[in-house]
Amino acid sequence: MEAVFPTYARWELEIVKAEGTKVYDQNGKEYLDFIAGIAVCNLGHRPQVVQKALEEQLNKVWHVSNLFQSSLQVEVAKLLTDNSVGDLVFFCNSGAEANEAAIKVARKHTQKSKIITFKQSFHGRTFATMSATGQEKIHTGFGPLLEEFVYLPYNDENELEKAMGDDVAAIMVEVIQGEGGVHPGEYIFLQKCEQLCKKYGALFIVDEVQTGIGRTGKAFAYEHAEISPDVITVAKGLGSGFPVGAMIGKKFLGETFSAGVHGSTFGGNPLAMAAAKATITEIFNSKFLQDVQEKGDYFLDQLTNGLKNIGNVRAIRGKGLLLGIEWSEGATEIITELRTHGLLVLTAGPNVIRLLPPLIVTKEEIDIAVNLIKDVLLKKAAAIK
């Protein structure tokens, strides 16, 4: 990797083959993948329905630009709006770009600049989305950030009420803070965000980049809280590993994001739309989503029961198939140890083990993962004593 900027702390591991919930390294070793490309491969690796759609599109057209009509964009947009409270969709290439669009539409629509986000949030690494992110480690070294972002404590209604006013353009919130430690938003808190946005004429933006596209057992995680965001951002799970993102907005924002206001060269290109259409047609199925909910509940129960006697486990939290185990110390060694046993997981902050299996994971595979996690944590707990 000597010719590549060292922006990632890479593992000494290369994945050369993948299918379903399994991946294989350069030495042929098999791993059960509970990272799924960081909540990207929701249908598992190389789902045949998506691969077939991409192969068919490869033989038609790859790219022509957004100067032309696109029936595929219309079909994918309709799938997204039919399964959300939104009416219109802007297509881009990533979660950061989707959040960048959300920030722009909020400021332009309201003609205000202040945006409230939350401590330990993560919204991306462009200058605007980095500025929206409530983590100092993401900001360090880049000089002055984009102005007028206010970071409040997550799940704190009192602080939110004190900070809101007529000068606020938007509240931007994750339903579950993924990168920030797998912290679910309390439903009453999320509902308060919506209420205050309506009261003060601000936009309510929900960042569903990690939680959307079935991850929590609903098409979008905000549905659990019975809220109605003005803007929803998605990416990760939208294309089964093909780069694609989207900002979904309500109809009244159509005049704000008019011709020439915003754009993306590759956004909504035919290959991305083929992947997205095949992916969400599978996932936005009530039986599929019900199955995800049941497996998520099962996973949480198995972890809770299996780890209840390990004192160094501080908390187990999350929703659906986005779960986190808070450990008493740094979790990096645990991640490494699990990897040697053939289970891939990752961190969320310094001391949280984040679990993101493909949505097609079986209960048998969940049992394998829970037993491996239990064995490793017991060993680590004994060493700490």
Side-chain angles (χ1 to χ4, degrees):
M1 302 297 292
E2 60 274 6
V4 177
F5 270 109
T7 51
Y8 304 102
R10 298 178 190 267
W11 300 337
E12 291 298 320
L13 184 69
E14 182 178 2
I15 302 302
V16 297
K17 181 184 174 184
E19 186 171 359
T21 58
K22 306 289 179 59
V23 298
Y24 303 83
D25 70 13
Q26 68 272 30
N27 300 313
K29 181 176 178 178
E30 179 185 282
Y31 300 84
L32 182 58
D33 184 8
F34 272 43
I35 299 175
I38 313 183
V40 167
C41 303
N42 284 5
L43 289 175
H45 293 277
R46 293 177 48 240
Q48 290 304 297
V49 66
V50 180
Q51 184 166 326
K52 181 182 177 185
L54 280 166
E55 288 171 351
E56 289 176 354
Q57 191 60 46
L58 280 167
N59 290 316
K60 295 178 181 177
V61 58
W62 296 10
H63 179 79
V64 292
S65 93
N66 284 307
L67 294 172
F68 298 89
Q69 299 291 319
S70 173
S71 57
L72 258 179
Q73 283 191 20
V74 172
E75 290 178 60
V76 177
K78 194 76 165 53
L79 282 167
L80 290 170
T81 57
D82 283 351
N83 288 278
S84 73
V85 295
D87 305 293
L88 299 168
V89 180
F90 171 80
F91 290 110
C92 51
N93 309 288
S94 68
E97 289 180 50
N99 284 333
E100 187 87 17
I103 290 165
K104 287 182 71 172
V105 78
R107 286 189 164 189
K108 190 169 192 300
H109 182 78
T110 64
Q111 291 296 293
K112 297 182 282 189
S113 298
K114 185 185 291 186
I115 295 178
I116 291 174
T117 66
F118 299 92
K119 294 176 182 178
Q120 295 307 119
S121 62
F122 183 83
H123 298 292
R125 294 182 184 271
T126 64
F127 240 92
T129 58
M130 175 178 69
S131 300
T133 293
Q135 296 189 50
E136 182 63 31
K137 68 178 183 180
I138 304 297
H139 304 160
T140 301
F142 293 103
L145 300 175
L146 192 65
E147 294 181 352
E148 296 202 68
F149 283 94
V150 178
Y151 315 119
L152 300 180
Y154 193 56
N155 282 327
D156 191 326
E157 293 176 63
N158 292 329
E159 288 299 311
L160 180 61
E161 288 206 67
K162 282 192 275 185
M164 277 301 288
D166 292 323
D167 60 340
V168 175
I171 295 175
M172 188 173 193
V173 65
E174 297 160 279
V175 180
I176 301 173
Q177 290 186 332
E179 299 289 333
V182 191
H183 293 285
E186 295 170 4
Y187 295 163
I188 193 168
F189 169 74
L190 296 170
Q191 290 163 4
K192 177 62 73 174
C193 289
E194 180 181 11
Q195 291 163 11
L196 290 172
C197 283
K198 287 179 178 176
K199 179 178 178 180
Y200 290 102
L203 292 191
F204 183 28
I205 303 169
V206 171
D207 178 342
E208 291 259 14
V209 171
Q210 190 161 153
T211 55
I213 318 299
R215 175 57 52 184
T216 66
K218 298 277 190 184
F220 301 95
Y222 75 80
E223 297 176 69
H224 296 287
E226 298 182 348
I227 53 179
S228 181
D230 299 308
V231 176
I232 307 151
T233 57
V234 291
K236 289 186 179 292
L238 183 55
S240 291
F242 201 95
V244 56
M247 180 190 76
I248 309 164
K250 288 185 175 174
K251 189 175 182 178
F252 69 83
L253 296 170
E255 291 184 8
T256 301
F257 250 32
S258 55
V261 166
H262 193 49
S264 169
T265 296
F266 297 108
N269 80 81
L271 292 172
M273 293 297 93
K277 178 184 175 183
T279 299
I280 58 181
T281 297
E282 290 290 305
I283 292 175
F284 289 172
N285 173 289
S286 59
K287 188 175 184 304
F288 185 96
L289 291 171
Q290 180 61 37
D291 189 49
V292 173
Q293 285 194 46
E294 290 173 3
K295 287 185 291 192
D297 291 342
Y298 179 80
F299 197 2
L300 184 59
D301 286 344
Q302 294 301 102
L303 284 172
T304 302
N305 292 328
L307 308 182
K308 63 184 178 183
N309 295 321
I310 304 175
N312 296 85
V313 173
R314 297 293 168 80
I316 301 169
R317 55 181 179 257
K319 187 75 175 174
L321 292 174
L322 167 52
L323 299 177
I325 303 166
E326 185 175 337
W327 188 242
S328 61
E329 301 186 10
T332 302
E333 287 187 7
I334 294 167
I335 305 302
T336 303
E337 182 72 15
L338 287 169
R339 194 160 65 243
T340 66
H341 290 286
L343 177 65
L344 300 181
V345 299
L346 73 163
T347 57
N351 65 333
V352 175
I353 303 158
R354 186 170 19 156
L355 306 166
L356 292 162
L359 306 186
I360 61 165
V361 69
T362 65
K363 288 184 178 179
E364 290 74 21
E365 289 170 330
I366 289 171
D367 289 341
I368 290 168
V370 170
N371 288 329
L372 283 171
I373 292 166
K374 179 181 177 181
D375 290 346
V376 168
L377 293 187
L378 281 169
K379 178 181 173 183
K380 292 294 180 185
I384 291 169
K385 292 178 183 177

